[in-house]
Each structure stands twice: as C-alpha cells, then as structure tokens.
C-alpha cells in the first residue's frame, strides 16, 4: 500500500468514475486502474465495483476510504509544517457552528493567541453535518457545535461545554412582539433552525409541552444567521440561539413568553482515534476549561 495508491483511490471515489479521476489527476485511465488494482491486491479484497454508471464502494472500500482520507490529511499537514515554504509554521484547524463561533470562540481564541502567537488558526464554519463530516475525514482537529437530538457518532469523544436556552425572535415591530404566552403564537408561521434532515423536533416539543400541536413551519434554515435575516423582513417567527438578538442588528427582538423554551447543549468533539498536535491540544484545552455546563439563561 502506497500513498499514491491511496490518492488514486480517494480521487476515484470523489470523482465517481475512473475516467473523470484520471483526467483530473493528469494520468491515463489504465494507469489509475492499475494503481487501484494493486491497492486491492495489497489489502486482499475488492474496494470498488465498476459499472456502466461509474463506480461504487464495497463495504471494505467504505472502511478504507475513511482511513485513507485521514492518512492523506495528516500527510498534507505534515508537508505544510516541515516544508521550506511553510517555514515550520504550526497550525490548528477547528470548526465552530454559528452559535459557538459567536458566543464561545472569540474568548477562547483571544486566550490562545496570547499564549501561542506564532500558530496559525484555521476556523471552519457551517452546519452540523458539514463540520462532523470534515472532522471524521481529518480536515479538522476538533469541532464545537450543538448536539442534535442526542445523536452523536460513536467514533467521537464528546463533552458538553455550554448550555443555552433558545429564544423566540420576531421583527421588532411584529404585531405579536408583546405576547406573553406560547399559546398566542400557535397560529404564526415559523422558521426552524438546523440541518434539513433534523426536522422540527424542538419546535414541536415546545408546543407539545403545553398541549398544542406543532405550528406551521414555513422555512428551514441550517444557520440561525439566515433565520434571523428572514425574520427581520417578514412576519415569520423563529426559535433561535440566544445570540440572535445581537446578530439581528436591531431589526429583531425576542418575545418573552412565560413558557419554557428548549435548552441547547454545545459539545466539544474530537475523534477518539486521533492524537492532537501540541497546538491543537492547547486550543482544545482552552475550550475544555468550560466543560462544566453553564446554567441556562433565565427568561
């Protein structure tokens, strides 16, 4: 097994066919096919199924793909850190959801940069699904993001570092801005924040707790920042993290109902099988210092 064989294997999967992968890699299809065949011989099993519509992974191929992506990511990082052009520049790559990036990351990064001014920090932002995918493939050292429905990949080491009570937001001149009970908002159209596949369980649960059916969901936004932008220019309501008021730039405000809104846990996650570099571990530890869950903000 060689690094080049792993690169050819990953490229073939990413491009969906040997022909497209060969073209992207600047080599012949026959050469690429031979490289992958040698890889299959070295591991003793078939990795790819070739068909008229392209290629697909076998079960063994799925296992190797995850490992190959991790290996190639580590090799790329090592080359960057030791190459003359890189001048031994150390770096940390982590991911933060919009909530974590707004409420937790600034203070952690300020402390880290004070102690490790020579380290380059790369911060990825995006929805939960993207951050977890990049963590699992080795592109990120660790991530900080909310837990959704209590479902976490078993290959990840996780801990709660913060707890936040969700808030209901509306545009500042919304006719129901002064509502005091959730029941008063049951006929409104709502925006749900979170992955498209996550659904509206938090919103449904909030209304179910007071004996009402889930209200009508008009929009799903993966980022609460997008939800805030849409609320600011409509009659829609949204269930958002507590940072929404600040992001809204005075165009949105929370509706202070007496009924309790859901609590959202923010997790610090890393791969169980990974060994963090010294710099990555230093930043991870700064986030970890807040591992005792904070009490939710009162409403």
């Amino acid at each position: 097994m060689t690094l080049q064989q792993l690169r050819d294997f990953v490229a073939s999967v990413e491009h969906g066919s040997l022909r497209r992968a060969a073209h992207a890699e600047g080599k012949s299809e026959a050469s690429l096919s031979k490289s992958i065949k040698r890889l299959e011989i070295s591991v003793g099993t078939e990795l790819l199924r070739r068909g008229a519509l392209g290629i697909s992974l076998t079960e063994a191929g799925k296992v190797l793909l995850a490992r190959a992506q991790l290996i190639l990511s580590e090799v790329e990082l090592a080359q960057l850190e030791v190459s003359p052009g890189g001048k031994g520049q150390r770096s940390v790559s982590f991911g933060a959801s919009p909530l974590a990036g707004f409420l937790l990351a600034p203070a952690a990064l300020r402390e880290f940069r004070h102690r490790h001014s020579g380290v380059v920090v790369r911060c990825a932002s995006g929805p939960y699904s993207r951050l977890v995918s990049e963590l699992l493939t080795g592109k990120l050292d660790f991530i900080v993001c909310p837990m959704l429905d209590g479902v976490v990949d078993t290959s990840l080491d996780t801990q709660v570092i913060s707890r936040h009570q969700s808030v209901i937001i509306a545009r500042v001149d919304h006719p129901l801005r002064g509502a005091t009970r959730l029941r008063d908002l049951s006929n409104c159209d709502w925006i749900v924040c979170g992955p498209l596949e996550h659904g509206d369980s938090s919103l449904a649960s909030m209304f179910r707790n007071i004996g009402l059916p889930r209200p009508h969901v008009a929009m799903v936004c993966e980022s609460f920042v997008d939800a805030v932008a849409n609320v600011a220019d409509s009659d829609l309501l949204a269930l958002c993290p507590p940072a929404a008021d600040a992001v809204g730039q005075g165009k949105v405000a929370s509706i202070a109902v007496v009924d309790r809104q859901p609590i959202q846990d923010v997790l610090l996650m890393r791969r169980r099988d990974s060994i963090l570099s010294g710099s990555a571990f230093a930043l991870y530890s700064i986030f970890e210092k807040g591992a005792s869950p904070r009490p939710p903000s009162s409403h």
Side-chain angles (χ1 to χ4, degrees):
M1 183 187 300
T2 68
L3 287 176
Q4 188 57 56
Q5 289 169 357
L6 293 178
R7 290 190 183 100
D8 291 339
F9 169 64
V10 171
S12 298
V13 175
E14 290 178 344
H15 289 283
S17 80
L18 297 181
R19 181 180 60 81
R20 288 194 293 269
H23 179 74
E25 296 296 309
K27 59 177 62 178
S28 70
E29 185 176 343
S31 173
L32 186 72
S33 180
K34 184 181 294 185
S35 174
I36 292 175
K37 177 57 69 176
R38 287 173 176 166
L39 177 61
E40 289 177 323
I41 292 172
S42 72
V43 298
T45 188
E46 184 182 34
L47 300 172
L48 297 176
R49 296 190 184 93
R50 287 79 166 172
L53 299 179
I55 59 174
S56 60
L57 286 165
T58 64
E59 288 304 312
K62 293 177 183 177
V63 173
L64 182 61
L65 177 64
R67 293 293 182 183
Q69 289 172 321
L70 283 173
I71 291 169
L72 296 177
S73 177
E74 290 296 324
V75 169
E76 182 181 356
L77 179 60
Q79 290 175 330
L80 176 66
E81 291 184 348
V82 305
S83 66
K87 299 180 181 179
Q89 181 73 65
R90 292 173 296 160
S91 65
V92 178
S93 297
F94 81 103
S97 69
L99 170 62
F102 193 83
L103 293 182
L104 305 178
L109 291 173
R110 183 169 58 249
E111 181 176 342
F112 178 79
R113 291 178 61 246
H114 177 71
R115 299 181 183 180
H116 306 273
S117 59
V119 179
V120 175
V121 178
R122 298 182 176 89
C123 179
S125 181
Y128 174 84
S129 55
R130 174 190 163 191
L131 293 180
V132 170
S133 175
E134 294 191 359
L135 176 63
L136 292 173
T137 56
K139 295 180 180 179
L140 299 175
D141 295 310
F142 62 89
I143 62 175
V144 189
C145 60
M147 177 172 62
L148 303 174
D149 287 345
V151 179
V152 178
D153 192 298
T154 56
S155 67
L156 300 178
D157 179 58
T158 66
Q159 57 181 302
V160 177
I161 60 170
S162 186
R163 304 192 78 196
H164 302 276
Q165 188 171 57
S166 300
V167 296
I168 299 169
I169 64 166
R171 60 181 170 85
V172 291
D173 56 349
H174 193 287
L176 293 177
R177 164 80 186 282
T180 58
R181 293 191 176 277
L182 198 54
R183 185 177 300 275
D184 301 331
L185 308 176
S186 60
N187 292 323
C188 294
D189 290 335
W190 288 73
I191 297 177
V192 170
C193 299
L196 301 181
E197 68 276 10
H198 174 51
D200 54 5
S201 60
S202 294
L203 181 66
S205 175
M206 182 174 68
F207 276 88
R208 188 169 56 247
N209 288 340
I210 62 169
L212 293 177
R214 186 212 72 184
H216 178 252
V217 174
M219 186 181 298
V220 178
C221 294
E222 288 199 314
S223 168
F224 82 87
V225 177
D226 295 329
V228 170
N230 283 283
V231 165
D233 194 38
S234 71
D235 281 338
L236 294 169
L237 304 181
L239 187 63
C240 287
D245 284 4
V247 174
Q249 298 179 330
K251 297 180 180 180
V252 303
S254 59
I255 299 178
V257 298
V258 296
D259 306 283
R260 191 173 182 82
Q261 287 101 73
I263 301 297
Q264 191 171 61
D265 289 339
V266 176
L267 302 185
L268 181 62
M269 308 185 194
R270 58 180 286 190
R271 299 190 313 275
R272 292 185 187 277
D273 61 356
S274 70
I275 299 176
L276 297 177
S277 68
S279 300
F281 184 75
L283 181 55
Y284 179 91
S285 297
I286 291 173
F287 276 104
E288 192 178 32
K289 284 193 309 183
S292 298
R294 302 187 185 107
S297 58
S298 58
H299 212 54

